[in-house]
Amino acid sequence: MSVSRSRRQVRLSRALGIPLTPKAVRYFEKRPYGPGEHGRARRRAESDYAVRLKEKQRLRAQYGIREAQLQRVFQEARREKGLTGESLVELLEMRLDALVLRAGFARTIAQARQDVVHRHIMVDGKIVDRPSFRVKPGQVIQVRPRSQVMVPFQVAAAGTHRDVLPEVPQYLNVELEKLTATLVRRPKRDEVPVTCDVQMVVEYYSR
């Protein structure tokens, strides 16, 4: 990640009120307020629309996806039985790049997406280079054997990223030293380490 991109992620993190990268966590500790010269000032009460918009932006940022991608998954979630907001997060969590991050093979969602795009990741023994690929329960995610000798993956296999990532969720069975993970079942919303009021997102798109 370039310096400029890293800086942008920190600014976005402070604007949204959630740390999106390990570096942003350190910045939050130093400057627990919004970016800009007015960051310390008491903010005016936000409108209902602004609150819903921010929650939607938070969800987008944590998965590093475009607006059109989020809208498509939302429409799919609406067609499912159950609560739309919970289905939305569960479907997003089954993206390949999200699971690569949760397994600890990458440090950030941007790095996980790059690993997939650069053809380092396999699903059931076949290379998949689409970060949005929907992993199904029972499928095995693995770093390609030829890529496992690369320094970033050796670092991951040593468990280094676990210091900055949430605990491995129960819907994933991870063998980190082998750089292998299996999606055991569909994630449940309350297990997904994402900060977002999903009902606000539903209300935003239903307006």
Side-chain angles (χ1 to χ4, degrees):
M1 183 183 293
S2 66
V3 174
S4 60
R5 177 177 173 80
S6 176
R7 206 169 279 163
R8 285 198 304 271
Q9 287 295 96
V10 170
R11 288 183 62 84
L12 179 60
S13 295
R14 289 169 61 199
L16 296 178
I18 52 173
L20 299 173
T21 63
K23 186 173 183 179
V25 173
R26 296 195 297 272
Y27 270 82
F28 262 71
E29 294 171 352
K30 294 180 181 178
R31 303 181 181 90
Y33 46 82
E37 60 180 307
H38 303 297
R40 297 175 191 251
R42 179 178 295 177
R43 293 178 177 268
R44 293 178 297 177
E46 295 180 318
S47 67
D48 290 344
Y49 173 79
V51 171
R52 295 183 181 104
L53 175 62
K54 178 176 282 189
E55 290 302 321
K56 187 267 293 184
Q57 290 174 324
R58 281 181 166 189
L59 187 60
R60 263 191 63 196
Q62 288 173 90
Y63 283 101
I65 58 178
R66 299 187 301 275
E67 176 64 23
Q69 292 176 299
L70 182 56
Q71 287 186 21
R72 282 197 297 271
V73 180
F74 176 77
Q75 293 303 326
E76 184 179 353
R78 289 184 70 174
R79 294 191 293 269
E80 292 199 340
K81 295 180 180 179
L83 298 175
T84 299
E86 293 188 0
S87 293
L88 173 62
V89 174
E90 291 166 7
L91 291 172
L92 288 171
E93 188 65 11
M94 289 190 286
R95 286 173 54 97
L96 179 57
D97 56 354
L99 294 175
V100 167
L101 175 64
R102 303 288 181 241
F105 301 165
R107 189 177 177 86
T108 65
I109 191 66
Q111 184 182 352
R113 182 168 57 251
Q114 187 177 53
D115 289 343
V116 175
V117 171
H118 289 182
R119 300 173 64 82
H120 296 306
I121 305 298
M122 305 171 68
V123 178
D124 285 350
K126 296 181 179 179
I127 293 175
V128 178
D129 58 6
R130 283 190 302 113
S132 62
F133 177 86
R134 178 80 50 77
V135 180
K136 298 176 182 177
Q139 289 190 311
V140 178
I141 304 165
Q142 180 184 21
V143 175
R144 188 175 65 161
R146 285 176 55 187
S147 301
Q148 291 185 14
V149 298
M150 298 172 64
V151 172
F153 293 116
Q154 288 290 304
V155 170
T160 305
H161 300 331
R162 294 261 55 97
D163 294 339
V164 297
L165 295 175
E167 291 185 10
V168 177
Q170 293 185 358
Y171 47 85
L172 266 183
N173 181 16
V174 178
E175 295 182 80
L176 196 54
E177 67 282 356
K178 297 181 180 179
L179 294 171
T180 299
T182 303
L183 180 61
V184 179
R185 55 174 171 77
R186 176 169 169 148
K188 296 179 181 178
R189 168 63 188 106
D190 59 2
E191 300 174 304
V192 179
V194 164
T195 303
C196 176
D197 185 336
V198 292
Q199 182 56 36
M200 291 290 184
V201 180
V202 173
E203 292 176 8
Y204 175 86
Y205 282 123
S206 302
R207 71 192 191 282

